Amino acid sequence: MIRFKDIIAEHGGDPTCFLNFDEDSDQVHLLPYATLSAARTTESTDPLSALIGVYEWQSAPLFMLVDGDALSGDPEGLTRLRRLIAMRGDAPYLAVLQMGRLTFHNVGLDNKTFDATKAMADELNDVGMAIPFVANERPNPSTRQVWISDVILNLLTAALDALVRLNIDDGDAISLAGRALFTRFLADRGLLPDAVVRIGESGIETLFDTATSSAGVSAWLDKTFNGDFLPLAKSKISGFPPEAFQTVGNIMRRAQDGQLPLEWAEDWARLDFAHIPVGVLSQAYERYLGQHQKDKQRKEGSFYTPRHIADLMVHASFASLRREGKAHCARVLDPAAGAGVFLITAFRQIVKERWQYDGKRPDTKTLRQILYDQICGFDINDSALRFAALGLYLISIELDAAPKPIEKLKFNHDLRQTVIFELGHGDDTEGQSLGSLGDDVGPEHTHQYDLVIGNPPWSSATGLAKWPSVTEWVSKFAHERLNDERVDAPLPNHALDLPFVWRAMNWAKPNGQIAFALHGRLLFQRGEGMDKALSAISRAIDITGIVNGAEVRQSQVWPNVDAPFCLLFARNACSAPDAGFRYVSPHLEGPLTAAGGWRIDPAQTESVTVDELRQRPELLKILFRGNRLDLDIFERISAKEYPTFGEYWRDLHGGTANQPNCAGKGFGNLLRGSRPNPAEQNLPGYSAEKMYDFPFLDHDLFRGVLLDTEQFRLFRDLRMPRLDQRRLLSLYTGPMLLVKKSPDAEDGRIRTAVSLKNLTFNQSYYGYTAHQLDNSGELVKYLCLIISSKIALWHALITSGGFGVERDPVEKFVIQEAPLPPFESLSATDRERAAELFAALAQEETPETWLKVDEWVGSLFNLTSDDVQVISDTLAFSLPFGDNRNAAQAPVDRLSKDAFSNRLEAELVPWGSRFERKLTVSSVNTSSFWPWQFVAIKANAASSPGEKMDRALLEVMQQLADTLSSSEIVYWDEQTDCLFVGRLNQARYWSTSQARLVARRIIWDHVEFLSGKRAA
């Protein structure tokens, strides 16, 4: 008998992550693969019979294991199998087992088979790293696979658009197409009775070709399944034009004899709904609504939710419910249900939990009980709820182990107003309904749910007429919940997602679970009271975890979503004084991200206390773009209470926070819509005559720290007699500091320059003129050094709610938030040093001179060289620019790895000396293409530049790291008394700053190794 789990282990995988289709003990965990389990046969002609099992990575399928011998007699079997698996839309690979070895092939609907094993052979010759390589590197990044959800979306959109063009109402079009889809689902799974098949003139493929046959099938659907099955009256069907049935008739077209052709084309006949999970359909429905009803979706603030994110949220929430013994009987509410992605996922999870609790698979009666008693959804979009109803019907049938006879699948009650509730349908003003946030949700839903989960709308500034009632409800609820009339629970800028969090506290049972996908502004936005909003929420619920998705926005993790997002997990109870939560920010990881995957990394998870967050609103941004070393530096700088650049400038010149005097952006060109000026004969804009003799700053001349205005052309040469905005002439008077508006800072600095003489500039620049002050030239040169230093850009990166979150440019108000030691407080020595450094830069900008600038500016803040190195490392790998992202993900080079080892050794040696143990750190020789790299920490032993690691031990470590999906693993080898540290082979994890963090963890967690007690 073949020991499949041993083969998985030999290829570097975790045997516990493999599920065997033929193992009874695995069946409950194979529920998400119910379509495969039901379709597998023992017939050798069926390629599905070759399926052995599935290997999961981070609780998602990575590959299907295939018996290569079973396919050996079928030259086309692999092609057909990869297409059938691709229709599931989950596992990206097939692993074909022959003669004890695995070869990996990508799945796809097309015919472009890619042998991933060949790609691995080109980069590593080590079977023991095969599975980790596939999991982390995702070979074949250059060829985009045709994903099933895209195909269904395209076909569904074409069908519905065609129906709407025939003047069929949106709702009726969805119901008609949905009924055809449901019938196709039953047909492909062999569930249609012969009597129904005979309704079509030529069988199944013609069931919806005419009004008569469509009405006949619809009548059977209504009678058999009851419920409110996609409402569509018989009279309406008879009134549809004949062209409508040509469209829906295409949905029923199937491959001849059920054998999918090898050639791929995007049409209904190439699909087999026996293998397409309901979750794929539900995701396609939500994407359809997002594209087809853009204005409605925008007003309602809805975004479709990818299946893998819904899966993650549901699984994490049920893990908590399972610990409390409530998972099998949990009641679940999605208050913004959309097309039902969360409801369908939760339904499947409850079925699994019930199976485990009862010790037997739920039958039809139990499935209905779960549907009617444990699932609930609200929404204001009728079209979405029609799709949700269809999805819930389908999943109830898909998970039924004995769906025949079909009559026993009858649904005894309508889903509408029992399971899914349309809210706000009585509101006559489109886009103005409060839906779940209004009075339509009655007291019968108060504290009724063990889990409230979903993706509520993210829109802000919606201008809802009834918004005051929302803020009033939230304020009253917050006062009562926290027993404090002084508490402020703001809803900044009418953000729709925040009141859903407050409402969830009323719907969830005490100590129940709350899980929402929210806009990332809650974590990072500092203005408009968002920090107060987060503070109030963190008091009112016990936050247990936050996944910050800001870095992976605009990626395949959540396609077509530009906004930063976060996943919030909480317990429905007020937080205790010492409460805290886990906070993790997944990184972009090249092919893994391109494939829609992300790493929820336990090694990079931070523990954050609610008190920390209240005292330091910037905390989550600091830990997102930096780490605890950055936080330490920030705390020390903040403790000095330096004024910000903006505050300092206002102290010198007056003005307001938004508009300090002697500062502002430059002139604006005359526009077609410029207003008439009554003071200048009603001519548009303003006369530019007074600026004619001033030099003008061309963009290509903004280089270097000192501008040579003698080389600039005069403003008069622009031939612009009038301007839309002229600004005060004094703004163009030197000496001045110039900052490019929204500088890209891609070279790791905010580019500034000094003009000692008068100079005009347009609104692409901000100017700060110091001509009214003594020592004005010295002052602007000093400011140039401060703002251009890495410290200023670092401060913006780790504190700004926009830069590095939603925006790449550094905006003026962010620059003005930079801390600034007042020029007047500088010693004579520091003033001389500032003049020397500026003069050196003006002569030639070199990396050496800029390093001296950074170190000198750091000294003004009492920073050490280590602190400056932390800042440099953070900027190198965390700036939101392409070069920095690529550098962070690049494999670590030998020099960086050696520097990491040397710094780690320097940090640990003093601790070893306390126990008379001489510690040494050296690199372990491994292929540069491996997903992980390793260093070895030895005691009282000579180190060598390239340590060799025992083969078995290396496999154990990489399996542990891969199982945990971790960027770091620390393992003590008892035989050699050696501590091995493995980290992902990405440069961001191998900086000298990271070495200091690793040393901290070793000192804290492995003191027995440092002291020698572990080996004793």
Side-chain angles (χ1 to χ4, degrees), residues 786-834:
I786 296 291
I787 303 302
S788 295
S789 72
K790 287 188 175 181
I791 286 85
L793 181 60
W794 167 82
H795 187 274
L797 178 67
I798 66 169
T799 61
S800 169
F803 175 52
V805 178
E806 288 189 276
R807 296 180 291 276
D808 291 347
V810 186
E811 297 178 317
K812 173 189 173 185
F813 72 88
V814 175
I815 296 170
Q816 293 184 170
E817 287 298 312
L820 180 75
F823 180 66
E824 296 76 17
S825 67
L826 298 187
S827 66
T829 301
D830 279 329
R831 291 194 183 196
E832 291 177 6
R833 185 60 174 156

Side-chain angles (χ1 to χ4, degrees), residues 423-424 433-445 466 469-470 473 503 507:
L423 306 176
S433 173
L434 294 180
S436 302
L437 304 179
D439 296 332
D440 287 348
V441 181
E444 66 273 15
H445 295 284
K466 299 178 182 178
S469 66
V470 176
W473 187 95
R503 282 281 188 172
W507 297 320

